[in-house]
Amino acid sequence: MRVEKLPPVKATLQPSNHPYLNGAWTPQHEEVTATDLDVIEGRIPDDIDGVYLRNTENQLHQPLGRYHPFDGDGMIHQIDFSCGKASYRNRFVRTRCFQAEQDAGGSLWGGLMDKTGVSKRPGFGAHGSLKDSSSTDIIVHNGKAVSTFYQCGEGYVLDPETLEQEGVAPWVPLDGISAHPKVDERTGELLFFNYSKHPPYMHYGVVDGSGKLAHYVPVPLPGPRLPHDMMFTQNWSILCDFPLFWDEELLKRDVHVTRLHEGLPSRFALIPRYGQPEDIRWFEADPTFVLHFINAYEDGDEVILDGYFEEDPYPPPIENADGYGHMMAYVDEHSFKPKLHRWRFNLVDGTTREERLDNRILEFGMMNQRYLGQPYRYAYSTTSKPGWFLFNGFVKHDMVTGESWTIELAEGRYGSEAPFAPRVGAVDEDDGYLVSFVTDENRGTSECILIDCKRFAEGPVCRIALPHKISSGTHAHWADRSVL
């Protein structure tokens, strides 16, 4: 392995016992480019061609208040596969806020858990006083990577192969974009939403295949909400209004505290891809909160949506968490209990039917993106370590037969969100690999693993060494060479 280190960035973070500034969440401040990566086990297949992109949170400066793991500075890690070889590089996302704090030599904004007045400058996003760290999601559209922030940031563009930074996406509206925009590979369109604290509280938009904003309309809501994901089918886009959102009375004092509003249902908005507000079809369902969906598709008179239903979206604090009990519970899947779930929206009579598909704690679902918005058969979820935001395994589901297969990582080894990479020349939906970065706390190292989805239960067919230990984080994306 040949490693080139880039000049260091400014960092003022001091050692602490914060649970999400240590261990597998230790921030990585080093930027490198590495070629001819060493293979630990197996061999790199020559039928995988593209890039795996991973977004992580890496706090650079001493926090002004109480640090939350979602406050960290965004860093994109990339591994590039071609002709049986692999290279790696990682870069901070140079947001306006990142550069401002580099210039200032320290933190300028408070975090998600801080009270009003901590930030030294006006903030960004739906919250209004946060740093846009662009640390949540990463996708590829129109040949470019787009990094996004869950509280509706500006959306930053990078070259997916070199990670060269190209600034703010030119099509992003004033209210920003939420994490989890979706790309329809059939049409080349990107679908997105945002949310805010002012009427109409949500917008929905479409960016065409050339990267131009083609459609942008309001989706009126009763008040400020906190949607996190969306999905689409061939004809419909699906947006959400869940009963977990900011306390309205506290929000009047600019205090951002979430609570579960008893008595309110979950609501799903189905809007035609280029529809207007008057075209929206609203469907009610059991109260919950959903972080992530897997897929949606049309089946006769029904629209089917698969995702993860939270059984306890307002969990009690984790005890003995050194003052971080609320935060620890909100990022611990075993506290809010997401379960694989299906919603069926009947377009004729307006009713919703629901079905539990698996009773295990599962989240961060992936599937073959070529089938996004279409009927599909296979889904891939992560399992998590109780009490922590750490992935310790993967599950493959056959959504037709109900069968599933599981891979468990060894104690102290933690994975990343694992997108599906179709094999070159693949015909079957599951003919390809899951790609994931793994942080090994036992050895203080990180690696990339490939799992052959045709032989899923056999575990990784290849393990590739990375040049340094990476921090855990949130989301990842696979892009075939053909879309780059």
Side-chain angles (χ1 to χ4, degrees):
M1 182 192 307
R2 296 195 300 272
V3 180
E4 174 193 353
K5 294 185 178 182
L6 275 65
V9 297
K10 294 179 184 177
T12 61
L13 184 66
Q14 300 298 311
S16 75
N17 63 354
H18 192 290
Y20 283 92
L21 290 172
N22 289 281
W25 279 82
T26 302
Q28 171 59 258
H29 295 162
E30 179 183 68
E31 296 176 301
V32 306
T33 298
T35 55
D36 295 323
L37 299 184
D38 298 329
V39 177
I40 303 169
E41 183 179 354
R43 70 173 187 87
I44 300 174
D46 55 13
D47 56 4
I48 180 172
D49 188 20
V51 297
Y52 170 77
L53 299 165
R54 174 87 164 105
N55 207 339
T56 62
E57 288 89 0
N58 301 265
Q59 183 72 5
L60 273 169
H61 298 293
Q62 190 64 17
L64 297 178
R66 289 168 57 81
Y67 180 72
H68 188 286
F70 298 165
D71 298 337
D73 297 282
M75 176 185 280
I76 308 301
H77 305 259
Q78 178 240 65
I79 187 166
D80 187 309
F81 293 97
S82 180
C83 302
K85 295 184 177 181
S87 62
Y88 165 88
R89 66 189 66 213
N90 68 307
R91 302 289 188 269
F92 278 104
V93 184
R94 262 66 175 182
T95 67
R96 301 180 202 267
C97 295
F98 173 93
Q99 192 56 55
E101 290 188 333
Q102 285 291 293
D103 294 342
S107 291
L108 296 173
W109 288 274
L112 186 61
M113 294 196 296
D114 290 333
K115 296 179 181 179
T116 301
V118 172
S119 294
K120 297 179 179 181
R121 296 184 184 179
F124 293 80
H127 190 287
S129 60
L130 299 177
K131 171 175 62 178
D132 179 2
S133 59
S134 202
S135 60
T136 309
D137 198 9
I138 182 78
I139 61 160
V140 172
H141 174 247
N142 188 33
K144 300 294 184 180
V146 183
S147 175
T148 53
F149 186 52
Y150 72 106
Q151 285 273 355
C152 299
E154 294 184 293
Y156 284 82
V157 178
L158 302 91
D159 185 296
E161 294 178 288
T162 66
L163 296 189
E164 181 180 349
Q165 321 237 350
E166 301 182 14
V168 177
W171 48 265
V172 173
L174 184 62
D175 283 332
I177 56 170
S178 177
H180 308 310
K182 306 296 181 186
V183 176
D184 186 342
E185 292 194 2
R186 296 177 308 107
T187 66
E189 295 163 314
L190 178 147
L191 316 175
F192 72 91
F193 71 98
N194 59 32
Y195 57 96
S196 66
K197 291 184 291 187
H198 56 82
Y201 305 111
M202 182 188 282
H203 286 85
Y204 155 76
V206 182
V207 181
D208 68 21
S210 67
K212 295 181 179 179
L213 184 64
H215 188 61
Y216 187 64
V217 294
V219 180
L221 296 175
R225 296 295 191 263
L226 292 170
H228 189 74
D229 200 3
M230 68 170 293
M231 193 45 72
F232 70 89
T233 68
Q234 182 171 335
N235 295 295
W236 301 92
S237 293
I238 305 172
L239 305 166
C240 308
D241 173 12
F242 293 120
L244 181 76
F245 52 88
W246 286 313
D247 184 297
E248 294 170 281
E249 292 303 313
L250 292 176
L251 199 59
K252 294 175 182 178
R253 306 203 305 267
D254 206 25
V255 177
H256 298 79
V257 174
T258 57
R259 72 176 180 89
L260 186 64
H261 293 70
E262 302 287 349
L264 293 181
S266 297
R267 298 198 310 151
F268 295 86
L270 271 64
I271 181 172
R273 183 165 300 191
Y274 286 90
Q276 298 298 321
E278 59 268 23
D279 300 322
I280 296 173
R281 298 281 306 272
W282 284 102
F283 291 82
E284 294 191 353
D286 291 342
T288 187
F289 188 81
V290 178
L291 275 173
H292 303 117
F293 299 108
I294 303 172
N295 195 20
Y297 57 94
E298 297 164 28
D299 183 15
D301 293 329
E302 290 187 320
V303 170
I304 296 175
L305 173 66
D306 293 340
Y308 302 95
F309 181 106
E310 294 183 10
E311 290 188 343
D312 193 357
Y314 191 59
I318 293 178
E319 296 182 6
N320 302 318
D322 298 324
Y324 295 102
H326 279 286
M327 179 204 74
M328 295 290 283
Y330 270 100
V331 296
D332 166 37
E333 293 176 18
H334 290 262
S335 291
F336 56 83
K337 303 179 181 65
K339 306 288 183 68
L340 186 59
H341 197 79
R342 173 167 287 173
W343 294 264
R344 291 178 175 269
F345 308 117
N346 191 301
L347 297 171
V348 175
D349 61 20
T351 60
T352 304
R353 289 191 295 136
E354 302 186 50
E355 179 184 0
R356 181 59 45 81
L357 302 180
D358 196 309
N359 276 313
R360 287 173 287 184
I361 304 295
L362 301 169
E363 244 287 359
F364 288 82
M366 285 286 178
M367 41 86 69
N368 188 331
Q369 296 292 293
R370 296 174 180 175
Y371 293 81
L372 198 59
Q374 301 291 319
Y376 74 119
R377 181 163 184 171
Y378 299 104
Y380 306 89
S381 306
T382 60
T383 60
S384 59
K385 180 179 180 178
W388 291 87
F389 185 7
L390 291 168
F391 304 145
N392 60 7
F394 308 98
V395 178
K396 174 185 178 180
H397 278 91
D398 186 325
M399 305 296 279
V400 175
T401 67
E403 292 180 279
S404 66
W405 300 265
T406 302
I407 295 172
E408 296 179 2
L409 297 176
E411 183 66 29
R413 287 171 58 84
Y414 304 109
S416 304
E417 186 176 56
F420 179 88
R423 196 186 311 270
V424 174
V427 177
D428 296 336
E429 181 185 336
D430 64 341
D431 190 9
Y433 304 92
L434 281 197
V435 189
S436 180
F437 287 150
V438 171
T439 294
D440 191 329
E441 279 298 293
N442 306 311
R443 295 178 173 83
T445 60
S446 287
E447 62 193 61
C448 179
I449 62 172
L450 298 178
I451 299 166
D452 188 333
C453 291
K454 285 287 191 182
R455 301 182 286 133
F456 190 84
E458 297 178 16
V461 296
C462 181
R463 296 170 54 209
I464 306 162
L466 299 182
H468 50 206
K469 193 181 94 167
I470 69 172
S471 171
S472 193
T474 48
H475 292 284
H477 184 79
W478 172 262
D480 284 330
R481 190 76 55 192
S482 61
V483 307
L484 301 180

